[in-house]
Amino acid sequence: MMTRSKNPYQLPDPLVCDPSRIQNGISMELVEEYIKLHKKRKQRYRYLEMMYKGFHDIFFSPNKPNWKPDNRLVANFPRYITDTFMGYAYGNRIKKTHPDQTVLDTITAFEDANEISDHEFELLKYVCIFGHAFEYLYQDEESQTKMTAVKPDELFVVYDDTLKQRALFAVRYGYHENNSQTSSDQNLGDVYGEILTRDSIIAFDGEKKEDPQENPYGYIPVVEYRLNDERIGLFETVGGLIEEYNRVISEKANDVEAFAEAYLAILGAEVDEDNVKRIRDERVINFYGTDNASDVVVQFLTKPTADGTQENLLDRLEKQIYQISMVANISDEAYGNATSGVSLAYKLQAMSNLALGLDRKIEKSLKKRYKIFCSLATNVPDPDAWKEIVITTSRNIPNNRAEETSIAKDAEGLVSKRTQLSLLSYVDDPDTELERIQEEETKDSELIQGLFAEHDHEEVDDGEAGIEK
């Protein structure tokens, strides 16, 4: 069986470079130097991805002797933590608005072309798993701006060594396949990829660089999204607790299996092989011919169990996993007992704080995305249009509509109509809803005026008819 290295993996601290080293261009020697540095971090990325997929360290531990039970159970907390947080924090689409309707229509068309809901959800899922991820923008064959989410084991950015830490260049790379039957890094084929700078995009294969292609954006077309400044993954801090939970629950299963296969001890009587088979198959024990039956002892040999201790440890580990990861266990009975929105909000407070912190990081990265998008005159005439984009996130939680409506009614006269409508979760866009209300009021007013005008006209006709008579 495969064994996993226990050497501590390297955290994703920024890769920095003295700007003077690239004054005369970026050499392949420099690129190879940073690829080697980046490869040291791949063990961490591989570990976190395997954790999310459910392939934990317990599968890589040494085999036990054949006569011992060897269960390997995995409680996939990483997937539950990640998917629960993503559903809560970004189950609702991130909204972008702009005061200029033309710019807003252009952004909406750009997002529709890139299937933005799925794109952003997958991108932020990578951020939760790895602690950070990248978005790569490019022009397709029809000169349309496209973007794709890139895992951090496939791309890295090199920053300058000043306090500003300005990005100098980025490298996206991979390895050619070879005929080796192993996946060891030593057996990979030649490296290939591209170097991304503000001015050009340079493809390379092995040690050979191709002719530079113009970068149409004027910016490095890569946006980094971070969960936090340390780039620590969502479940990374509870990895040890999860591995211990797997070990304890697996040993508990081993104890149950060992108990089910307990040995039968027969003392004071001789049992031949045929009688052993008869006892096993017919489940009847009958010994005779002894002078004193009390001298014969028949019993199962069982080892002492620590069921209570194991259960207490599992409960403690589970509580610590959710508490430290700050992600709520929404399947817990306590959440079913939340009788009001305020009660539920208190139970979700830790996860809400975590989501708010990520919101700030996301807003910063999204502004950079649209800064790159607006840099092309073929997209938006004004390159500074991105500055007025308003980004809004909302939590995906069950809402008590009756309670919300009551609160909104009580706010009548205390706040503006727009704020009053914003209290209702089922109103997606308060501004649009206000326009609809105004349109309905205008139509109702015109209808009433029309009815009165028709009634006045009928009275005039009746009066004239009476005079004629």
Side-chain angles (χ1 to χ4, degrees):
M1 179 177 287
M2 292 176 59
T3 58
R4 180 176 290 183
S5 172
K6 296 297 181 182
N7 294 329
Y9 52 64
Q10 184 173 341
L11 292 174
D13 297 322
L15 294 172
V16 296
C17 175
D18 188 338
S20 62
R21 298 186 65 186
I22 61 171
Q23 284 182 348
N24 299 322
I26 301 172
S27 65
M28 279 307 302
E29 289 78 10
L30 183 66
V31 172
E32 290 171 357
E33 175 185 335
Y34 279 95
I35 287 178
K36 289 180 180 178
L37 292 174
H38 183 255
K39 281 178 64 177
K40 295 179 180 178
R41 304 174 177 191
K42 286 199 170 189
Q43 180 183 349
R44 170 180 175 269
Y45 296 135
R46 190 178 299 117
Y47 171 76
L48 293 174
E49 186 170 18
M50 295 288 277
M51 286 279 285
Y52 176 78
K53 291 180 177 180
F55 296 95
H56 298 186
D57 270 349
I58 194 166
F59 290 125
F60 301 91
S61 59
N63 290 330
K64 291 187 176 182
N66 292 335
W67 56 272
K68 280 190 175 183
D70 192 9
N71 291 288
R72 295 162 189 261
L73 306 183
V74 165
N76 200 353
F77 286 104
R79 191 180 192 95
Y80 181 89
I81 289 171
T82 302
D83 292 356
T84 299
F85 176 76
M86 283 298 302
Y88 166 77
Y90 303 106
N92 295 330
R93 178 172 173 172
I94 302 174
K95 297 178 183 177
K96 297 92 176 179
T97 58
H98 196 282
D100 188 330
Q101 188 61 43
T102 303
V103 175
L104 181 59
D105 292 342
T106 302
I107 291 173
T108 301
F110 162 66
E111 292 188 338
D112 290 344
N114 284 277
E115 300 177 331
I116 197 66
S117 294
D118 181 66
H119 167 78
E120 289 181 342
F121 194 86
E122 290 301 310
L123 173 64
L124 296 179
K125 185 177 76 173
Y126 292 157
V127 172
C128 291
I129 294 172
F130 302 111
H132 69 138
F134 297 96
E135 188 174 65
Y136 180 31
L137 287 83
Y138 63 96
Q139 295 296 104
D140 67 4
E141 296 80 2
E142 299 176 356
S143 298
Q144 300 295 316
T145 303
K146 296 287 187 177
M147 54 188 177
T148 185
V150 182
K151 298 177 184 179
D153 60 345
E154 302 171 5
L155 187 149
F156 62 86
V157 178
V158 178
Y159 302 88
D160 66 25
D161 55 0
T162 65
L163 289 176
K164 190 176 180 180
Q165 285 196 342
R166 185 169 181 259
L168 298 177
F169 63 93
V171 176
R172 185 176 68 90
Y173 72 100
Y175 292 91
H176 290 295
E177 295 183 2
N178 57 23
N179 296 324
S180 173
Q181 298 298 316
T182 67
S183 58
S184 173
D185 290 344
Q186 286 77 15
N187 295 310
L188 293 173
D190 291 336
V191 65
Y192 70 94
E194 54 188 1
I195 307 165
L196 311 168
T197 70
R198 288 174 173 78
D199 303 320
S200 59
I201 299 174
I202 308 167
F204 63 88
D205 195 335
E207 299 181 355
K208 180 182 178 182
K209 289 197 299 184
E210 298 182 5
D211 294 334
Q213 302 294 319
E214 181 184 0
N215 178 3
Y217 303 107
Y219 299 100
I220 298 174
V222 171
V223 181
E224 182 181 18
Y225 290 74
R226 305 177 190 174
L227 183 63
N228 45 61
D229 285 340
E230 296 77 24
R231 300 176 177 86
I232 301 297
L234 189 62
F235 54 84
E236 190 167 0
T237 54
V238 294
L241 294 173
I242 294 170
E243 297 289 8
E244 180 64 12
Y245 189 98
N246 293 336
R247 188 192 67 79
V248 173
I249 199 171
S250 296
E251 288 300 330
K252 188 174 180 64
N254 290 339
D255 288 346
V256 172
E257 186 173 332
F259 179 81
E261 297 180 358
Y263 290 98
L264 178 65
I266 302 174
L267 306 177
E270 182 178 357
V271 183
D272 58 24
E273 185 175 349
D274 291 338
N275 282 325
V276 168
K277 292 181 179 178
R278 180 177 58 81
I279 292 172
R280 182 190 63 193
D281 297 339
E282 299 179 6
R283 299 182 182 181
V284 175
I285 299 175
N286 182 20
F287 299 121
Y288 55 89
T290 59
D291 294 333
N292 189 355
S294 63
D295 292 338
V296 180
V297 179
V298 180
Q299 63 183 12
F300 280 101
L301 294 180
T302 59
K303 69 176 184 178
T305 63
D307 185 70
T309 303
Q310 290 171 333
E311 286 297 325
N312 290 335
L313 180 56
L314 289 173
D315 289 342
R316 176 65 63 86
L317 288 170
E318 183 173 350
K319 290 178 181 178
Q320 289 292 306
I321 287 169
Y322 287 116
Q323 182 179 348
I324 295 175
S325 67
M326 299 175 64
V327 175
N329 179 11
I330 58 176
S331 61
D332 190 272
E333 292 180 1
Y335 288 88
N337 296 330
T339 57
S340 68
V342 175
S343 175
L344 180 62
Y346 275 117
K347 294 180 183 298
L348 298 174
Q349 185 66 45
M351 190 158 62
S352 177
N353 292 339
L354 186 63
L356 288 172
L358 181 54
D359 284 348
R360 298 184 182 98
K361 301 294 182 185
I362 289 173
E363 182 177 356
K364 183 178 179 181
S365 297
L366 288 176
K367 285 293 184 75
K368 185 176 180 182
R369 172 207 286 175
Y370 292 107
K371 182 179 181 180
I372 296 173
F373 175 76
C374 293
S375 66
L376 284 181
T378 53
N379 289 336
V380 178
D382 181 10
D384 293 326
W386 62 274
K387 295 180 179 180
E388 296 184 84
I389 295 176
V390 177
I391 297 166
T392 307
T393 58
S394 60
R395 306 284 83 96
N396 180 26
I397 57 176
N399 296 291
N400 187 332
R401 293 194 174 187
E403 183 181 11
E404 286 182 351
T405 303
S406 176
I407 294 172
K409 285 181 179 179
D410 292 341
E412 181 75 32
L414 299 177
V415 297
S416 66
K417 287 287 186 182
R418 187 188 186 285
T419 302
Q420 191 177 2
L421 288 170
S422 67
L423 297 173
L424 303 173
S425 62
Y426 49 87
V427 176
D428 294 330
D429 189 344
D431 292 326
T432 303
E433 194 66 24
L434 278 174
E435 292 176 1
R436 291 172 181 167
I437 293 174
Q438 292 173 356
E439 289 176 1
E440 289 179 358
E441 290 177 347
T442 301
K443 289 180 181 179
D444 291 343
S445 177
E446 291 175 351
L447 178 60
I448 293 173
Q449 290 176 2
L451 291 174
F452 275 115
E454 183 179 348
H455 179 69
D456 292 341
H457 180 69
E458 289 177 353
E459 287 186 348
V460 171
D461 289 345
D462 291 342
E464 292 176 352
I467 292 172
E468 290 178 356
K469 289 179 181 178

